[in-house]
Amino acid sequence: MSRPSLTSTVFLKEIRETLRDKRVILGVIVSPLLVTPLLIGTVLFFAGKKEIEKQASIVEVGIVEQSAFPELVKRLKTDEGFNAHQIDSREAAKQAIEDRTIRAALIVRENAQTEFSSNNSAPLEILYNFANENSQFAQARLRNFIGKFDKEALADRIEAASLSENFAKPTKVEITNIAAGSSAGSFVLGLFLPYIIVMSAAFGGIQTAFDLCAGEKERGTMETLLVSPASRYEIVTGKLLTILTISFIASCCAITGIIAPIAFGLEFFKKLVGDSISINFISVVWMMLIVIPLALFTSSLLLVISSFARNQKEAQTYILPFFAVVILPAVLSTVLGAESHICTAFVPILNISLTMKQIFGDLFDTLYFGISLATSFLYAFLAMRLAASFFQREQILFRT
């Protein structure tokens, strides 16, 4: 008569001991639910405050008139958004920008007035320092000012020539966005949320994985567990389920920590994604389900590393290649579009990340989803078999 499986017994033992570790609770639950939203909110708050201050600020600019151009220069000097300084030469303006006494300079070329009066384009030049943020802002504001001047000058020329206002507008384009509010919100989340989830699923279970194998070797409790009635396969499965559970909880907490503040309408998150959009919670549910194969794969890799390492310190040295394997596809997913080539469905981690983007962008591809799911479970199975083989070989498990 076959005995009942002891996998659940091993799992319950390991998960109970894991949840007693305050480091796991802080890193997996408290940080994603409280610290991360607070951090993001703080960053967005001060970024928004800085942007408001920029828009309300008065920009110090210089004017170098190689020839008189009163139509433009007089308007610039009276504009409330600028504090314009007359400068003698281009070199002096360049030096003033470097000294930060002004942020940008408008150079009026010698024939600017003549060309403007002849209904041609007046040659101008804007000097600024690309390496300076305030100088970039001054350059952008000057360009906006000149753009408004050009529109008014064009309107005057059209009126003087007794032409219709539509003369300078051969076409009239009306742009209509057919995306619903929830689709727009999901698209914005799809730009960055998959990356956060991958990081949470991959790194949420590191502490647990290291403690379950490498940590037990250090404490000398691995031998006691191996002589228990549970088979080594049952021990591996129980430990893997523990890491998977912690990784999945970390992912769900990361999702909740981002989605919940948006759902409750915190002001700084609404500024990020827009007041008129909403979140498609069906997409969120689908994303939580797709996290399972991702967490299973990363948990299996962590178990392999922890099984091979002699102690936790050695495991930390092996984790660097794991970082590369996880971070590179995760970062690549932020660059690639959701409608990528079908070949990307075979790349681990990248396939799940792009599937999440498809779910959020209402671009769900059944074939891509099926291949991603199947290959992710396959890679997880192979990694799990490798970890199980390590547990069967004592020269690896207890190597010195």
Side-chain angles (χ1 to χ4, degrees), residues 15-202:
I15 198 70
R16 187 165 51 246
E17 293 179 354
T18 298
L19 293 178
R20 289 173 182 167
D21 192 341
K22 294 181 180 179
R23 294 172 299 175
V24 174
I25 300 299
L26 289 173
V28 173
I29 299 176
V30 175
S31 179
L33 289 180
L34 297 178
V35 178
T36 301
L38 181 61
L39 179 63
I40 294 176
T42 302
V43 171
L44 292 178
F45 172 77
F46 284 105
K49 185 178 179 181
K50 181 179 179 181
E51 187 63 27
I52 292 173
E53 291 175 351
K54 266 189 175 182
Q55 297 300 329
S57 64
I58 298 175
V59 179
E60 302 287 338
V61 297
I63 302 174
V64 179
E65 288 188 271
Q66 297 176 350
S67 67
F69 193 178
E71 294 88 347
L72 177 65
V73 173
K74 184 178 180 180
R75 187 171 301 183
L76 179 61
K77 288 183 176 180
T78 57
D79 193 293
E80 295 180 353
F82 296 98
N83 185 16
H85 304 268
Q86 197 75 31
I87 299 179
D88 296 333
S89 65
R90 186 178 185 277
E91 290 301 319
K94 181 179 178 182
Q95 185 62 46
I97 295 173
E98 293 177 351
D99 295 338
R100 298 194 295 276
T101 55
I102 62 172
R103 296 301 181 176
L106 178 64
I107 313 297
V108 180
R109 297 294 190 188
E110 294 179 355
N111 58 339
Q113 175 64 46
T114 304
E115 294 293 335
F116 180 78
S117 301
S118 303
N119 288 338
N120 294 322
S121 298
L124 305 172
E125 180 186 4
I126 296 176
L127 285 181
Y128 79 107
N129 184 0
F130 180 80
N132 186 289
E133 182 182 1
N134 291 325
S135 185
Q136 289 186 34
F137 176 72
Q139 179 263 159
R141 183 175 282 189
L142 273 176
R143 289 182 61 183
N144 290 335
F145 169 81
I146 294 173
K148 292 178 182 178
F149 176 83
D150 286 347
K151 288 183 179 180
E152 294 177 8
L154 179 61
D156 293 340
R157 290 180 180 183
I158 291 174
E159 183 180 357
S162 300
L163 298 173
S164 169
E165 291 182 0
N166 296 327
F167 176 79
K169 299 178 180 179
T171 61
K172 184 178 181 180
V173 180
E174 181 179 350
I175 300 175
T176 304
N177 178 18
I178 63 172
S182 59
S183 299
S186 296
F187 171 76
V188 174
L189 286 175
L191 296 176
F192 66 91
L193 199 54
Y195 174 80
I196 296 176
I197 294 169
V198 168
M199 294 296 100
S200 300

Side-chain angles (χ1 to χ4, degrees), residues 6 119 159 199 308 325 342 363 377:
L6 296 177
N119 288 338
E159 183 180 357
M199 294 296 100
F308 184 77
V325 169
I342 194 67
L363 299 169
F377 277 119

Side-chain angles (χ1 to χ4, degrees), residues 148-338:
K148 292 178 182 178
F149 176 83
D150 286 347
K151 288 183 179 180
E152 294 177 8
L154 179 61
D156 293 340
R157 290 180 180 183
I158 291 174
E159 183 180 357
S162 300
L163 298 173
S164 169
E165 291 182 0
N166 296 327
F167 176 79
K169 299 178 180 179
T171 61
K172 184 178 181 180
V173 180
E174 181 179 350
I175 300 175
T176 304
N177 178 18
I178 63 172
S182 59
S183 299
S186 296
F187 171 76
V188 174
L189 286 175
L191 296 176
F192 66 91
L193 199 54
Y195 174 80
I196 296 176
I197 294 169
V198 168
M199 294 296 100
S200 300
F203 302 138
I206 285 183
Q207 182 63 42
T208 301
F210 286 180
D211 188 66
L212 289 183
C213 291
E216 288 204 359
K217 292 179 186 180
E218 280 187 290
R219 295 188 297 269
T221 56
M222 180 66 77
E223 293 85 346
T224 305
L225 185 60
L226 293 177
V227 298
S228 67
S231 67
R232 297 197 176 188
Y233 183 79
E234 291 171 335
I235 294 173
V236 171
T237 307
K239 289 180 178 294
L240 177 61
L241 289 176
T242 303
I243 303 171
L244 172 62
T245 301
I246 298 299
S247 297
F248 184 73
I249 291 174
S251 301
C252 291
C253 289
I255 296 171
T256 305
I258 300 297
I259 297 294
I262 299 177
F264 285 114
L266 293 182
E267 191 62 29
F268 44 80
F269 279 100
K270 289 175 69 177
K271 287 181 180 179
L272 174 66
V273 297
D275 292 335
S276 63
I277 71 173
S278 58
I279 304 303
N280 188 341
F281 286 98
I282 296 178
S283 298
V284 176
V285 173
W286 271 106
M287 187 179 58
M288 287 184 173
L289 293 177
I290 200 69
V291 162
I292 296 176
L294 170 67
L296 183 60
F297 174 62
T298 56
S299 298
S300 300
L301 289 179
L302 288 172
L303 187 59
V304 169
I305 295 172
S306 186
S307 301
F308 184 77
R310 287 171 289 192
N311 49 56
Q312 295 196 57
K313 185 176 181 180
E314 183 177 332
Q316 291 173 359
T317 62
Y318 295 150
I319 207 64
L320 292 178
F322 175 78
F323 284 169
V325 169
V326 172
I327 292 177
L328 180 59
V331 172
L332 193 59
S333 69
T334 63
V335 179
L336 297 178

